[in-house]
Amino acid sequence: MSIHSPIFWHNASATQAFAQAFVAAHDLTNAIIELRGDLGVGKTTLARDLLQALGITGRIKSPTYAIVETYTGQDLQGKDVAISHFDFYRFNDPAEWEEAGFRDIFASKGLKIVEWANKAQPLLPAPDWVISIELLEHDVRCVTVTPSSGGN
Ligand SMILES: Nc1ncnc2c1ncn2[C@@H]1O[C@H](COP(=O)(O)OP(=O)(O)OP(=O)(O)O)[C@@H](O)[C@H]1O
Ligand SMILES: [Mg+2]
């Protein structure tokens, strides 16, 4: 399973395999992953697969309404990883950045998985990884992974 771009996902199990390989290949104990792509392209599905690859077994809600859902996962070494899954689609009050504790989350160690990061600019720190998903014909998804300067 390649994690090098571009990647083509022909079905949901390709997304799962990618998530497992991505988690196995990178130290995500303190990282920001931005998931980019059009409405309904599959960002939350990938976030769920990443969370499952990090050992989250319970129900994984989309953070669309709450903006953030938090978890404690385990990396491959069995080390605890604080994980925050954000969806900023409905974020429109900059005061909430402070009040809801988002600033504290980004200032703390942990993995942050972010959908709709553009709606939280310029408050959001730069991501370590950008994973972009594009829907092609016949339900095929083309995925590109871009490490930013801080990526590992
Ligand atoms: N890799 C995939 N393979 C097959 N179907 C998928 C895949 N990813 C997502 N889907 C389907 O696409 C639909 C939308 O997925 P999802 O909610 O993950 O998108 P999203 O990008 O998070 O949407 P939003 O922009 O609203 O946050 C779901 O019905 C899901 O089952
Ligand atoms: Mg979503």
Side-chain angles (χ1 to χ4, degrees):
M1 170 69 214
S2 173
I3 54 167
H4 300 291
S5 311
I7 306 147
F8 295 92
W9 296 340
H10 291 264
N11 51 47
S13 29
T15 310
Q16 281 174 354
F18 167 85
Q20 281 160 13
F22 192 84
V23 164
H26 304 294
D27 179 5
L28 300 176
T29 47
N30 191 25
I32 302 175
I33 302 176
E34 179 182 339
L35 306 184
R36 224 177 260 180
D38 291 345
L39 202 67
V41 79
K43 300 178 292 297
T44 299
T45 303
L46 172 59
R48 280 199 181 103
D49 290 344
L50 289 167
L51 288 162
Q52 277 163 359
L54 288 157
I56 309 300
T57 51
R59 179 157 175 255
I60 299 170
K61 282 202 284 181
S62 172
T64 309
Y65 293 96
I67 299 189
V68 67
E69 297 286 343
T70 57
Y71 307 87
T72 303
Q74 272 83 41
D75 68 10
L76 293 180
Q77 284 74 44
K79 244 195 316 175
D80 277 0
V81 189
I83 310 169
S84 302
H85 175 198
F86 288 90
D87 180 346
F88 284 111
Y89 193 76
R90 288 182 165 75
F91 178 77
N92 49 25
D93 177 8
E96 207 184 341
W97 185 258
E98 191 94 27
E99 287 160 12
F102 300 158
R103 197 163 80 98
D104 292 340
I105 293 177
F106 281 95
S108 308
K109 211 172 163 210
L111 173 63
K112 300 93 187 175
I113 301 173
V114 183
E115 300 181 45
W116 295 109
N118 58 317
K119 308 255 184 182
Q121 297 304 359
L123 298 162
L124 199 67
D128 299 290
W129 302 93
V130 176
I131 304 179
S132 295
I133 310 172
E134 189 188 350
L135 193 57
L136 309 180
E137 286 179 345
H138 310 297
D139 243 24
V140 175
R141 286 165 170 82
C142 177
V143 182
T144 51
V145 179
T146 314
S148 301
S149 49
N152 53 14

